[in-house]
């Protein structure tokens, strides 16, 4: 049977250095409270969690983690005056496991960018070495000062490690280290220091440079940047377009750039190619480029009677400028009359050429409305289009 794993999550910080006015662990990061992210990291590992926080904040923290539906029990324990006392309070809430080899991970609630792989490395080290403390190499040169603004010496950084959390130990060892520190009046800034004080070897595990402890506003900005990097938006976008034109005498009927013989034609400022208008709106919509009315206002004389195929070229150019090309398009033309099916192959051919897409990525359909509505009464023709575009 696997040794039980307990987590002590410290959430009692004041956030005073952040200037946020609330406990920093409650600050949202990418829309999720920091403490919820920190608790989630242990989903696959923990058998029980003790959340150490100020009693007046336990309700807000419970609310923050409730949506996670964590698969293990979470107990709330009041924090102490020091970090060390807070961990001690957490330890006293954990079961007394006798001779079992229970492991405990102590983690700062403000380190919400730790990841499961890091937890896994720490636990593996506890299993093998009895302890695992996340740490990273120091990249800055570190100097000691004489406290009057002068350097007293430069420390060789090759042997230095900056220590993070999680810090993992055998539960009984960490309990002993805390008891010994209390007896000796020893104060440490992390649990590893207490273990060292009690004479245990402390093994360092490979930490992560992303595992920031949110302390300052700058940390928050960096954390948001890391999260944004984690979830790049997909390079594909979809768009939809819809258009209607009235049928009238004395006009040509142009659909997808094809002249369809009919006694009536569509009324409009341009050639009133309703299908292409819907398609252009779909393309512009997908690219976040407003609509054709914005690009080609019907008050502009340049567009009077213009072929919508030329406007489509301009729309495609606007997309290219923004780094997009069409991936596929699908149109539906709604007309009671005339019968459009004989002209659809030419429409597809036109669009396929204009969009630089193979014909099987250009689909044009025609339907009637069973004589219902304005299309059914032959008063007008409507068209709908959807498209997918991709980033180039
Ligand atoms: Mg139109």
């Amino acid at each position: 049977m696997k040794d039980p794993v307990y987590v002590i999550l410290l959430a009692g910080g004041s956030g005073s250095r952040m200037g946020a006015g609330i406990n920093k662990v409650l600050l949202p990061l990418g829309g999720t409270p920091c403490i919820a992210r920190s608790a989630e990291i242990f989903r696959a590992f923990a058998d029980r969690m003790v959340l150490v926080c100020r009693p007046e904040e336990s309700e807000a923290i419970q609310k923050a983690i409730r949506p996670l539906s964590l698969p293990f029990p979470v107990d709330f324990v009041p924090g102490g005056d020091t970090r060390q006392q807070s961990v001690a309070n957490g330890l006293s809430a954990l079961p007394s496991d006798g001779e079992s080899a229970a492991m405990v991970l102590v983690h700062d609630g403000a380190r919400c960018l730790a990841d499961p792989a890091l937890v896994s490395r720490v636990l593996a080290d506890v299993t093998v070495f009895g302890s695992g403390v996340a740490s990273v190499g120091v990249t800055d040169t570190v100097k000691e000062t004489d406290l009057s603004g002068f350097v007293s010496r430069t420390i060789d950084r090759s042997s230095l490690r900056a220590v993070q959390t999680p810090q993992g130990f055998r539960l009984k060892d960490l309990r002993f280290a805390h008891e010994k520190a209390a007896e000796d009046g020893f104060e440490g800034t992390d649990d590893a220091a207490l273990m060292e004080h009690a004479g245990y070897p402390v093994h360092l595990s490979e930490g992560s440079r992303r595992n920031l402890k949110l302390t300052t506003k700058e940390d928050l900005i960096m954390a948001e940047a890391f999260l944004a990097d984690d979830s790049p938006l997909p390079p594909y976008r979809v768009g939809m377009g819809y258009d209607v034109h009235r049928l009238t005498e004395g006009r040509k009927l142009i659909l997808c750039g094809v002249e369809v013989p009919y006694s009536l034609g569509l009324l409009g400022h341009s050639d009133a190619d309703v299908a292409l208008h819907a398609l252009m709106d779909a393309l512009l919509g997908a690219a976040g480029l407003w609509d054709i009315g914005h690009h080609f206002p019907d008050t502009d004389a340049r567009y009077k009677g213009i072929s919508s195929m030329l406007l489509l070229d301009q729309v495609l150019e606007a997309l290219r400028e923004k780094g997009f090309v069409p991936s596929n398009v699908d149109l539906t033309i709604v007309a009671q009359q005339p019968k459009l099916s004989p002209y659809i192959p030419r429409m597809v051919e036109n669009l396929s050429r204009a969009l630089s897409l193979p014909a099987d990525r250009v689909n044009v359909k025609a339907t009637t409305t069973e004589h219902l509505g304005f299309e059914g009464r032959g008063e007008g023709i409507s068209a709908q289009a959807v498209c997918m575009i991709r980033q180039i």
Side-chain angles (χ1 to χ4, degrees), residues 236-242 275-292 295-296 308-309 311-320 322-331 351 354-357 361-362 384-390:
Y236 289 93
R237 296 187 182 194
V238 295
M240 68 84 68
Y242 173 69
L276 285 191
H277 291 186
L279 176 62
M280 287 188 276
D281 265 352
L283 292 166
L284 290 167
L289 287 169
W290 298 55
D291 59 18
I292 50 172
H295 289 265
F296 315 114
S308 295
M309 290 299 285
L311 301 182
L312 177 61
D313 285 342
Q314 292 184 40
V315 164
L316 292 168
E317 184 55 36
L319 256 68
R320 262 192 300 276
K322 224 182 149 176
F324 291 106
V325 291
S327 181
N328 76 296
V329 301
D330 187 12
L331 282 89
L351 292 185
L355 299 166
S356 308
L357 283 176
R361 287 183 171 240
V362 175
Q384 302 186 33
V386 294
C387 70
M388 181 171 273
I389 62 173
R390 68 182 170 87

Side-chain angles (χ1 to χ4, degrees), residues 188-253:
T189 51
D190 70 347
D191 293 279
L194 273 60
M195 292 287 286
E196 295 157 39
H197 174 78
Y200 289 102
V202 171
H203 189 271
L204 296 173
S205 309
E206 194 56 46
S208 158
R209 299 233 166 253
R210 296 172 41 128
N211 186 14
L212 303 172
K213 185 174 181 182
L214 297 187
T215 310
T216 63
K217 274 185 199 155
E218 290 78 9
D219 297 332
L220 213 54
I221 293 166
M222 279 193 278
E224 290 283 9
F226 281 131
L227 288 172
D229 188 46
D230 279 348
S231 54
L233 292 169
Y236 289 93
R237 296 187 182 194
V238 295
M240 68 84 68
Y242 173 69
D243 198 23
V244 174
H245 281 260
R246 183 184 290 278
L247 281 163
T248 186
E249 284 178 355
R251 294 270 301 181
K252 288 177 177 172
L253 175 58

